[in-house]
Amino acid sequence: MRFSLKRWLHIIGGSLGLLGVVFVFMRLNTYMEQIDLTRFDTTAWSLIGLLALVYGAANVLLAQAWWHLLAFFNVEVERKWAVKTYGLSQLAKYVPGNIFHLAGRQALGMAAGLPAGALAKSTLWELGLIAAAGALFGVLATPLVWPTLPVPVSAEAFGLITVMGIITLRWLLSPAASATFIWQIFFLTISGTVFMGALFLVAPAVVTFSTFSVLCGSYVIAWLAGLVTPGAPAGVGVREFVLLFLLGGQIPAADLLLAVVLGRIITVVGDLLFFTTVYMSKTFKKHND
């Protein structure tokens, strides 16, 4: 009976991941219809491919964060297992409902014999910590609200508050909790940088050293809005609306919308690359066992 339950949990977790693949291709098809592909030359497409690779690899940071949270709840697993499980379930976030990647990870973890309560707690803490990390990036975007505030001051404030948050988590909770927060900060920084890469391809004059922190902060705040909106698969629609609200006065709406769509293509392909890499490594290992 136990074996049967574990088998069904594996099937559920794997099926949710594969269902995510279907929705990813549907999403890609929609995005491709919204963009004029002929406007980008070989160099631009090379950069798009590089950005997708970078974003796909950055998913490992989120898996690392989850691995530390499992340790925080006294669940000891191999780092490789955590990365593979995270990668196999992550695509299900594109399924309408925005919870199926979490359900898939829960099922795969329980199939591996991990306690259901600890898995659920790790998910709740993951969402809470990354929401807090995302909110910190709002400090970088404050010059949009108070134009008189110098950008370097907002960047310094962000760095100071982040360090204080890391130290506080380590002191109040544990090194594992602070490590989770650090990896999430790194991931969000890379995500913002990837978006700026997409924006650079559309409107290169907008992306400068002086606008880096403001643009990065605006993107992460938009990402956070999509994260906390119930039912929006991967924050679709919400992220675009918030970016238009924050940056509409700084960047022409047509360029901003094009950059958002291009950014979506990059992140979706990156997520697909991460899933494929994890899936192929798992299949390869089975064939060689």
Side-chain angles (χ1 to χ4, degrees):
M1 181 69 180
R2 182 176 177 82
F3 172 77
S4 177
L5 177 60
K6 289 179 66 174
R7 184 176 181 182
W8 274 109
L9 288 171
H10 271 297
I11 292 173
I12 292 171
S15 298
L16 287 172
L18 292 175
L19 183 62
V21 175
V22 175
F23 277 90
V24 160
F25 279 106
M26 291 172 59
R27 188 65 57 190
L28 275 175
N29 182 61
T30 300
Y31 293 147
M32 289 299 187
E33 292 175 351
Q34 297 176 18
I35 196 169
D36 180 13
L37 302 179
T38 60
R39 67 173 290 166
F40 300 115
D41 57 17
T42 303
T43 302
W45 280 112
S46 298
L47 180 57
I48 290 171
L50 177 62
L51 291 172
L53 285 171
V54 169
Y55 184 82
N59 277 281
V60 176
L61 304 180
L62 290 179
Q64 286 265 81
W66 181 55
W67 178 70
H68 280 291
L69 274 179
L70 289 174
F72 176 65
F73 288 105
N74 301 313
V75 178
E76 300 295 333
V77 297
E78 291 186 1
R79 194 189 306 259
K80 289 183 179 179
W81 179 88
V83 172
K84 289 180 180 179
T85 302
Y86 205 95
L88 290 174
S89 59
Q90 191 69 346
L91 275 192
K93 68 184 179 181
Y94 291 98
V95 178
N98 206 21
I99 60 168
F100 291 103
H101 57 303
L102 305 177
R105 199 196 313 166
Q106 180 80 12
L108 291 173
M110 290 174 62
L114 304 186
L119 285 167
K121 288 178 183 178
S122 72
T123 296
L124 292 175
W125 275 75
E126 177 190 25
L127 293 173
L129 285 174
I130 202 167
L136 282 182
F137 280 79
V139 177
L140 294 176
T142 48
L144 293 174
V145 181
W146 293 291
T148 56
L149 180 68
V151 172
V153 173
S154 66
E156 290 170 4
F158 168 77
L160 178 61
I161 296 173
T162 300
V163 171
M164 289 175 60
I166 293 169
I167 294 173
T168 301
L169 285 171
R170 185 181 182 89
W171 179 56
L172 290 179
L173 298 176
S174 74
S178 64
T180 296
F181 195 67
I182 291 171
W183 289 121
Q184 290 174 336
I185 289 288
F186 281 149
F187 170 78
L188 293 175
T189 302
I190 292 174
S191 297
T193 303
V194 166
F195 170 71
M196 281 185 286
L199 185 58
F200 177 80
L201 288 172
V202 176
V206 174
V207 182
T208 64
F209 181 78
S210 61
T211 61
F212 180 91
S213 61
V214 173
L215 292 174
C216 183
S218 299
Y219 176 81
V220 175
I221 288 298
W223 171 89
L224 177 60
L227 176 71
V228 300
T229 301
V236 171
V238 179
R239 191 181 306 175
E240 290 81 348
F241 175 80
V242 175
L243 274 173
L244 281 172
F245 175 77
L246 292 174
L247 299 175
Q250 314 292 322
I251 305 170
D255 289 342
L256 185 56
L257 283 174
L258 181 57
V260 168
V261 173
L262 183 59
R264 280 287 186 181
I265 292 174
I266 290 169
T267 56
V268 170
V269 172
D271 284 333
L272 184 60
L273 288 173
F274 181 51
F275 171 87
T276 303
T277 302
V278 169
Y279 184 82
M280 293 300 291
S281 65
K282 181 181 178 182
T283 305
F284 180 79
K285 182 179 179 181
K286 282 185 178 180
H287 286 319
N288 286 272
D289 283 344

